[in-house]
Amino acid sequence: MRYLPLTDTDRLAMLARIGAPDIDALFADVPEEARLSGPIPGLPMHASEMAVEKHMRQLSKKNLAAADAAFFLGAGAYRHHVPATVDHIIQRGEFLTAYTPYQPEIAQGTLQMLFEFQSQVARLYGCAVANASMYDGSTACWEAVAMAGRVTKRKRVVLSGALHPHYAEVVRTMAKFTEDEIAGASPALQSQPDNAGLIARIDDQTSCVVVQYPDILGRIPDLAEIAEAAHAKGALLIAVNTEPVALGAIKSPGELGADIVVGEGQSIGVGLQFGGPYLGLFAVRDPKHVRQMPGRLCGETVDAEGKRGFVLTLSTREQHIRREKATSNICTNSGLCALAFSVHMTLLGEKGLRQLAAENHRLACAAADRLAKVPGVKLLNDSFFNEFTVLIDGDARAIVRQLTEQNVLAGVSLGRLFPGHSELANGLLVAVTETTTEEDIETLASALEEVLA
Amino acid sequence: MARYFTDEHEWIDVDGDTATVGITDYAQGQLGDIVFVELPGAGTALSKGGDAAVVESVKAASDVYAPIDGEVTEGNSALEDDPALVNTAPEGDGWFFKMTIGDASQLDGLMDEAAYKSFCDSL
């Protein structure tokens, strides 16, 4: 895109044409007190490029990057090794510059890539159909809730207490505008999720039950039992997954009866990058629900000459077609992140994903065993994939802060995730991936031993 | 049995107290291959000119409006399995829904077949 600066002469010509004596006359409708007079306080007017670079470098030193610490943060965003090939391929001009396809059939490469992506997500989730990605896991979660409302024509949503609190917050925020009734709960620090309590909250007005798998405490709920109970009341089961690598080791939510499976795809192909952009995954188990799905779907077909081609099969519920009646709040798919996911997934293959999952689990078990030996630390979970909760003698939030000083990012404290739930304050969520070394685990354990002594 | 047409390309067959509503052959021709029809449930109250159903082709979704006031008594369940009926038999088996006639005087404002034909010719 070209940048065309305006000269003073251009400005004068435009003002003369519309009959305004000066620029202030154009903004006469803006109250005087709302206008900026002079420079913005605290922000310098300008500096040389070199000086700005130097300043920004100084600022960036305040960050503690994942690679520079013993790193155990997770809670919905995971540090994994992304092969260099992924970055190389997604930066090719054909991919990097191709934006959302509004004249889609021209962009055959983009459509084929989205088709492959959908196939991978559907398979990973054990579902019939996946869409061409969404904004992120939490908004995909809301879209699933909205979709369940359309399918069941009901407005009562039951959230598991062990759903990621940020996801629950997105659902609550959006529900203010759709007037869905949200029946939430708080998590309890128990070794197993409270399925019976969750099931008891499902009634014949419930549109859906939203369950995270593995859940926010790292536990792995029995989805089949919840699916059965939900279906018995005519409600849908929405399974939320924030760590897709886990599905290389545990059964897919679709296989266990979840009707809609959504989640965050960041783990595969997309780095942490201090918080985004991320990638929403969305799939439905039963093809009959495909018409109620948000977003766009790419399909495979043949052209008039019988050659294989790809088309945007379903996008009639999106903003550019349905305007104000679009059923999706966020229609733009995260194309480049979806591509990164797809390239990484292709490099892994099915066997590779299983091996990666096994390695994550092995290291997580090693970490859990080691941490359980630290006096003042107790392992909460009976079972987990690569993330688990430990209970610490003391406020986990303060301990995390303390350890940061020693370049140890110990985990995400439940006090940070659930402010206002003081009964959870001693919980610490520890995530381990293939990037975690035995040395990192030892560093964390000894640091904890020291601060808890 | 009298048949009326709207300028939004719905047809309405009046038979005693009930009416059957669908979209015209002209409308299905403009839309192309119909892939999905969303019908109102029985008991839905309709008001003339308001949204009643949605018809989707591959590239477009269009609203179908209620030609008169009334209440839906039945949707055409055959369209759920075979929405292409709207293409093959738009003014027969591809009907959308049946409704009660809330205000018979509203029918006077609609077109008859000859008027609708010349309306389409003028488009």
Side-chain angles (χ1 to χ4, degrees):
Chain A
M1 197 183 291
R2 284 192 300 164
Y3 174 59
L4 299 171
L6 294 176
T7 63
D8 286 344
T9 321
D10 293 333
R11 288 195 184 88
L12 286 174
M14 287 190 288
L15 287 169
R17 183 59 170 268
I18 57 178
D22 53 34
I23 199 83
D24 286 339
L26 270 187
F27 297 110
D29 291 340
V30 179
E32 191 73 44
E33 62 273 20
R35 291 191 225 169
L36 182 69
S37 59
I40 298 170
L43 191 68
M45 283 301 282
H46 64 272
S48 73
E49 186 171 320
M50 278 207 314
V52 172
E53 268 177 16
K54 192 175 171 192
H55 181 63
M56 298 307 276
R57 236 185 344 261
Q58 293 299 329
L59 287 180
S60 73
K61 280 185 188 157
K62 290 184 177 177
N63 288 326
L64 178 54
D68 299 331
F71 185 84
F72 296 90
L73 306 187
Y78 301 89
R79 180 188 180 213
H80 288 287
H81 173 69
V82 179
T85 319
V86 173
D87 202 37
H88 181 76
I89 290 177
I90 69 168
Q91 295 211 33
R92 288 185 58 97
E94 303 92 311
F95 287 125
L96 196 61
T97 56
Y99 183 51
T100 182
Y102 282 112
Q103 293 175 343
E105 277 66 50
I106 292 169
Q108 280 293 303
T110 301
L111 291 187
Q112 177 170 4
M113 167 288 215
L114 291 174
F115 180 80
E116 305 290 352
F117 168 82
Q118 289 170 190
S119 308
Q120 290 169 338
V121 174
R123 194 138 172 211
L124 186 71
Y125 278 179
C127 284
V129 191
N131 73 12
S133 88
M134 309 205 67
Y135 186 67
D136 69 6
S138 66
T139 49
C141 177
W142 160 252
E143 292 290 353
V145 168
M147 177 179 154
R150 294 194 291 274
V151 170
T152 61
K153 309 237 183 324
R154 297 177 182 177
K155 281 192 161 294
R156 188 169 175 273
V157 180
V158 172
L159 302 183
S160 152
L163 172 64
H164 194 302
H166 298 171
Y167 285 49
E169 200 53 39
V170 168
V171 170
R172 279 197 193 92
T173 301
M174 296 302 291
K176 277 184 210 159
F177 304 100
T178 54
E179 293 173 351
D180 286 85
E181 180 201 337
I182 307 296
S186 10
L189 292 178
Q190 295 164 350
S191 60
Q192 283 292 321
D194 179 17
N195 274 8
L198 182 69
I199 287 167
R201 292 195 284 133
I202 307 171
D203 63 18
D204 53 13
Q205 289 307 306
T206 304
S207 69
C208 58
V209 186
V210 186
V211 182
Q212 189 174 323
Y213 173 84
D215 72 18
I216 189 64
L217 301 182
R219 305 169 305 186
I220 301 166
D222 178 3
L223 288 184
E225 186 187 17
I226 306 165
E228 199 180 316
H231 296 157
K233 299 277 187 189
L236 302 187
L237 173 61
I238 297 172
V240 176
N241 170 265
T242 62
E243 172 53 293
V245 177
L247 301 177
I250 57 176
K251 270 196 177 177
S252 71
E255 276 175 275
L256 296 170
D259 301 282
I260 309 175
V261 187
V262 293
E264 177 53 62
Q266 172 272 332
S267 269
I268 297 176
V270 188
L272 285 169
Q273 301 168 114
F274 294 103
Y278 283 178
L279 166 68
L281 309 182
F282 193 112
V284 297
R285 180 171 53 91
D286 189 336
K288 79 171 183 225
H289 288 146
V290 72
R291 283 278 151 195
Q292 298 295 346
M293 277 176 82
R296 53 171 67 101
L297 254 84
C298 292
E300 183 188 347
T301 186
V302 287
D303 69 9
E305 292 164 7
K307 289 188 208 148
R308 187 186 189 215
F310 298 90
V311 289
L312 211 51
T313 312
L314 201 158
S315 60
T316 39
R317 287 169 193 282
E318 289 203 36
Q319 293 164 22
H320 64 286
I321 291 181
R322 295 237 65 197
R323 311 272 175 219
E324 78 286 356
K325 287 183 183 168
T327 44
S328 166
N329 283 284
I330 294 172
C331 90
T332 294
N333 68 298
S334 293
L336 199 64
C337 294
L339 175 68
F341 178 98
S342 209
V343 174
H344 192 174
M345 196 61 116
T346 306
L347 291 169
L348 283 170
E350 222 169 287
K351 198 175 150 204
L353 180 67
R354 272 197 222 106
Q355 285 171 345
L356 177 65
E359 180 64 359
N360 273 251
H361 185 57
R362 184 185 72 79
L363 282 161
C365 288
D369 289 346
R370 177 66 185 90
L371 293 180
K373 290 195 185 107
V374 175
V377 175
K378 189 172 153 254
L379 180 64
L380 176 77
N381 304 45
D382 290 341
S383 56
F384 55 87
F385 170 61
N386 69 347
E387 189 165 25
F388 53 84
T389 302
V390 291
L391 306 177
I392 293 181
D393 284 348
D395 184 340
R397 204 167 180 170
I399 286 163
V400 167
R401 269 199 213 108
Q402 226 175 319
L403 293 190
T404 305
E405 304 295 321
Q406 305 171 38
N407 276 9
V408 177
L409 292 168
V412 179
S413 66
L414 295 182
R416 181 188 171 88
L417 282 174
F418 297 92
H421 287 265
S422 55
E423 75 280 11
L424 303 174
N426 66 333
L428 177 67
L429 200 54
V430 178
V432 174
T433 70
E434 76 285 355
T435 64
T436 312
T437 62
E438 308 276 354
E439 195 187 353
D440 290 334
I441 295 169
E442 193 47 45
T443 304
L444 172 61
S446 350
L448 273 174
E449 268 160 9
E450 206 173 297
V451 296
L452 291 173
Chain B
M1 190 162 70
R3 173 169 286 197
Y4 301 88
F5 295 86
T6 72
D7 55 8
E8 296 285 356
H9 306 285
E10 290 97 13
W11 55 263
I12 172 168
D13 266 351
V14 176
D15 186 9
D17 299 342
T18 61
T20 307
V21 181
I23 66 167
T24 65
D25 186 48
Y26 176 88
Q28 71 78 22
Q30 293 291 309
L31 287 166
D33 291 346
I34 306 293
V35 292
F36 182 63
V37 179
E38 192 179 313
L39 298 170
T44 307
L46 299 178
S47 57
K48 181 180 162 72
D51 294 351
V54 179
V55 57
E56 288 187 21
S57 63
V58 178
K59 292 276 167 76
S62 312
D63 293 315
V64 174
Y65 304 105
I68 54 170
D69 295 349
E71 192 182 298
V72 175
T73 53
E74 182 190 353
N76 184 1
S77 56
L79 295 182
E80 282 168 25
D81 299 325
D82 187 12
L85 270 178
V86 179
N87 292 118
T88 53
E91 298 182 25
D93 290 345
W95 59 275
F96 276 38
F97 56 87
K98 293 181 190 292
M99 64 187 292
T100 61
I101 298 170
D103 178 0
S105 71
Q106 288 175 339
L107 294 167
D108 298 339
L110 302 177
M111 289 178 266
D112 64 11
E113 187 144 14
Y116 179 68
K117 189 176 179 304
S118 59
F119 170 69
C120 287
D121 289 344
S122 72
L123 295 174

